[in-house]
Amino acid sequence: VASLTAGRQYLEAIEHARRALELKPDFFALWLTMGCPQLAAGFAQEAIVSLERCVDLAPWNGRGMGYLAAAYYQAGDDERSQEWARKLAGPPGSTIGAAVFYALRGDTDAMFEALDGACQRRDFLAPYAATDPFFEPYRSDPRFQALLAKMNLA
């Protein structure tokens, strides 16, 4: 599903995630896998439902919280968006989820701080920034290229 999302095949990714959830409905990562392409496709309300389930199952998951904050932002609910953004664990630069939230908000400096923090922490999800659709508008920025080089992805 991640490769379908990276390839911008959101509807197909959502369908694959839906089928996987039929087999294992209580696995938080599948709800995150469902919420990501929903969010990328602009289905904010559907993404909120999926990502809330993810966070319910794994309240420690910063990526889920960041994506949920982003979904609320995309849905136009700034109050809930900020509420979830405040719940992100650690400093602003600590998770890929925070980076996605800041990317969708257009807060470029905070997004780069979050990506850099994720790299410094050796977040296993950091390399996905290279193909994550939420970072598309920032790929030509020299700071993005420097982060990719730092991860040996450039």
Side-chain angles (χ1 to χ4, degrees):
V1 174
S3 61
L4 290 169
T5 301
R8 313 311 186 256
Q9 297 174 333
Y10 305 129
L11 297 179
E12 192 173 346
I14 291 166
E15 182 55 33
H16 281 278
R18 185 172 286 118
R19 282 190 243 148
L21 282 165
E22 289 173 7
L23 299 173
K24 194 145 178 93
D26 289 333
F27 185 38
F28 82 93
L30 290 176
W31 287 103
L32 182 61
T33 300
M34 172 72 90
C36 182
Q38 289 171 326
L39 185 61
F43 303 143
Q45 294 303 322
E46 293 88 342
I48 288 169
V49 171
S50 296
L51 296 166
E52 280 183 342
R53 183 70 176 131
C54 169
V55 172
D56 285 345
L57 292 168
W60 44 263
N61 186 278
R63 187 174 184 208
M65 283 189 281
Y67 278 51
L68 183 55
Y72 275 114
Y73 177 79
Q74 191 178 69
D77 189 340
D78 196 51
E79 184 177 326
R80 294 292 304 258
S81 174
Q82 290 298 323
E83 177 185 322
W84 280 102
R86 284 189 294 275
K87 292 179 183 183
L88 292 168
S94 65
T95 68
I96 290 297
V100 167
F101 169 69
Y102 295 124
L104 283 178
R105 255 189 34 192
D107 190 342
T108 306
D109 291 336
M111 182 209 60
F112 279 115
E113 183 181 336
L115 283 174
D116 188 55
C119 290
Q120 287 179 23
R121 288 185 40 238
R122 291 186 165 80
D123 184 327
F124 76 98
L125 297 169
Y128 290 104
T131 59
D132 197 313
F134 302 109
F135 301 119
E136 186 65 38
Y138 307 98
R139 293 200 203 295
S140 63
D141 189 302
R143 294 174 288 180
F144 194 85
Q145 295 305 312
L147 280 169
L148 291 180
K150 191 177 191 178
M151 294 184 285
N152 294 320
L153 296 173

